[in-house]
Amino acid sequence: MKTLHFISGGETGGSRKHVITLLSKLPKDSVSLVVLQEGALSKEAEEAGIDVHVFKQSSRYDLSVLNKLIRFIKDNSFDILHTHGPRANLFGTYLKSRLDIIWVTTVHSDPKLDFMKTGVKGKAFTKLNMFALKKMDGYFAVSETFKQNLVSLGIPAAKVQTVYNGIEFTADKAVPLSRESLGVNENDFVMTMVARLHPIKGHEVVFRAIKTLNNPDMKLILVGDGPIKAELEELAAKEGLQDQVTFLGFRQDVDSIYAASDVALLASYSESFPLALLEAANQHVPLITTDVGGVKELVEPGNTGWIVPIKDDKSLATAFASAYEKKESGELKQMGTKLYSFASSHFSLQQLADSTMNYYKKLAAGKN
């Protein structure tokens, strides 16, 4: 059974990490990856030993690659097409109509919010993605919440397999970067937020919460890039937070950044099951997160972290203050140790790979 994973290739967030970590764990001779552009994703995949093929588009509206993809799939006798993200899903509708192939997708985000704040064009793409989502043979939802989202769209629950994200947990923590290199001091309270600079990630709410506390020792490190970078930089300056907020951009040393941090932060309005939080757990770093996706499966409030309502800067500020006090009392590191112990035993990469393969086999058996 051969599977072709298909993603646009420009992703820098959780879906990129999910695809690379999953494919690195699946049998190398039975899985390939197609992307539509070269970039960080394709480079990392190649470095991980994944069979990567780039079908370059002259623009995102260049559909000439579709017939090339059809020939590639036929020539290599793929049994399953596994798409990730709206563009790959949309192209999948054409591929499925011309191929005898099982088509599945992984839902990494709320499809109703993927094109948030992108105007008329975004509304059109949302409708196209919704259309594609209803044409598939099977679905992977990376949290139970996302499974219910799909069911609410009219997709039969029997077609949706919940598969929690997983990572390869390590016995030892990464070597932390020096705080000086991150622009913070040894005595600072450092919160690291790994997320695309996108409206759905809630950066503005975080800024308001930090401003409310008026504590110059509270520092925020932002890891990631995205369409509202300039807007967020301007906002941080406007709110007088330029000395408390550091923009690092896209980084590949996230583990070492987390290892130098006191807490990991997620403020999203919608998520599935964030890999960034598992990566933080691997570094024994407790979590402050909004109540999204499957975070309640990972975080035990008061014991391994804090869960707050979305878009609620007051609750977020309260969590920040509580975590700050836990550091002062020496309890924060114990919370991180407990989180690592729980996460490493429940959210391994092996369980993700096994669940994925078992669902592939189930779909293949149903076809035969």
Side-chain angles (χ1 to χ4, degrees):
M1 183 170 57
K2 295 183 66 177
T3 304
L4 179 65
H5 285 253
F6 179 20
I7 190 169
S8 69
E11 293 79 2
T12 59
S15 59
R16 170 192 60 86
K17 190 72 173 181
H18 176 97
V19 170
I20 293 170
T21 53
L22 172 60
L23 268 60
S24 67
K25 201 69 175 178
L26 297 179
K28 292 290 189 293
D29 59 350
S30 67
V31 64
S32 297
L33 174 65
V34 158
V35 297
L36 299 173
Q37 64 187 84
E38 293 177 328
L41 193 157
S42 61
K43 182 180 179 182
E44 285 185 53
E46 288 171 354
E47 291 173 351
I50 298 165
D51 180 40
V52 183
H53 300 266
V54 181
F55 287 76
K56 288 185 179 180
Q57 291 178 286
S58 57
S59 75
R60 65 171 51 243
Y61 306 107
D62 175 16
L63 303 181
S64 65
V65 297
L66 289 173
N67 288 329
K68 296 176 184 176
L69 279 168
I70 287 173
R71 286 196 297 272
F72 177 73
I73 291 170
K74 288 181 176 178
D75 289 346
N76 289 276
S77 302
F78 286 105
D79 304 291
I80 295 174
L81 172 66
H82 190 150
T83 56
H84 302 262
R87 191 167 12 154
N89 289 344
L90 182 58
F91 283 15
T93 59
Y94 182 86
L95 300 175
K96 174 67 173 179
S97 69
R98 285 158 177 77
L99 294 165
D100 181 24
I101 195 168
I102 297 169
W103 180 24
V104 301
T105 190
T106 296
V107 181
H108 297 276
S109 57
D110 187 335
K112 298 186 295 294
L113 301 176
D114 279 338
F115 298 99
M116 185 178 176
K117 288 189 177 181
T118 54
V120 175
K121 187 183 292 185
K123 290 180 180 179
F125 284 138
T126 297
K127 288 183 178 179
L128 288 170
N129 189 34
M130 292 291 199
F131 171 79
L133 280 171
K134 295 181 179 181
K135 300 290 183 180
M136 301 170 185
D137 300 303
Y139 307 80
F140 291 98
V142 291
S143 74
E144 193 61 30
T145 298
F146 273 38
K147 176 176 181 176
Q148 295 309 314
N149 284 351
L150 290 173
V151 172
S152 71
L153 295 175
I155 294 168
K159 283 190 171 185
V160 186
Q161 176 70 42
T162 301
V163 284
Y164 289 108
N165 273 333
I167 64 170
E168 199 76 78
F169 283 89
T170 57
D172 299 314
K173 293 191 288 185
V175 177
L177 293 178
S178 71
R179 287 199 159 188
E180 182 181 4
S181 70
L182 296 172
V184 295
N185 299 321
E186 289 300 321
N187 295 325
D188 285 335
F189 178 74
V190 178
M191 302 182 292
T192 292
M193 182 173 175
V194 178
R196 287 180 299 128
L197 305 185
H198 184 281
I200 203 171
K201 297 300 182 179
H203 295 86
E204 294 181 9
V205 182
V206 175
F207 290 179
R208 290 200 298 270
I210 294 174
K211 187 175 177 63
T212 297
L213 293 171
N214 193 28
N215 181 347
D217 294 333
M218 192 167 285
K219 302 296 173 66
L220 173 66
I221 294 176
L222 299 179
V223 181
D225 207 343
I228 61 168
K229 179 180 180 180
E231 179 182 329
L232 290 175
E233 289 175 334
E234 290 176 9
L235 181 60
K238 180 181 178 182
E239 298 293 340
L241 299 174
Q242 61 268 32
D243 293 332
Q244 290 180 258
V245 180
T246 301
F247 291 81
L248 291 186
F250 175 73
R251 298 283 292 252
Q252 292 185 308
D253 54 353
V254 170
D255 286 349
S256 293
I257 297 172
Y258 273 140
S261 307
D262 294 302
V263 297
L265 174 61
L266 182 86
S268 299
Y269 305 155
S270 175
E271 286 284 354
S272 51
F273 192 90
L275 274 171
L277 296 188
L278 291 180
E279 292 172 339
N282 191 35
Q283 300 308 319
H284 302 224
V285 179
L287 311 174
I288 299 175
T289 175
T290 45
D291 187 5
V292 291
V295 298
K296 286 181 178 176
E297 304 293 327
L298 173 64
V299 181
E300 183 182 351
N303 192 38
T304 59
W306 293 260
I307 299 177
V308 302
I310 64 170
K311 303 182 181 180
D312 188 339
D313 53 289
K314 292 181 180 179
S315 294
L316 205 53
T318 299
F320 292 170
S322 177
Y324 184 88
E325 291 173 1
K326 294 286 187 183
K327 180 183 179 181
E328 293 290 296
S329 67
E331 299 174 73
L332 198 61
K333 287 187 177 180
Q334 297 173 17
M335 294 177 71
T337 300
K338 292 176 184 176
L339 176 65
Y340 169 81
S341 178
F342 177 78
S344 60
S345 62
H346 288 79
F347 301 101
S348 70
L349 184 56
Q350 189 61 55
Q351 63 82 22
L352 170 62
D354 290 345
S355 296
T356 301
M357 288 300 298
N358 288 338
Y359 191 49
Y360 286 163
K361 292 173 183 176
K362 178 182 176 180
L363 290 171
K367 181 180 179 182
N368 298 329

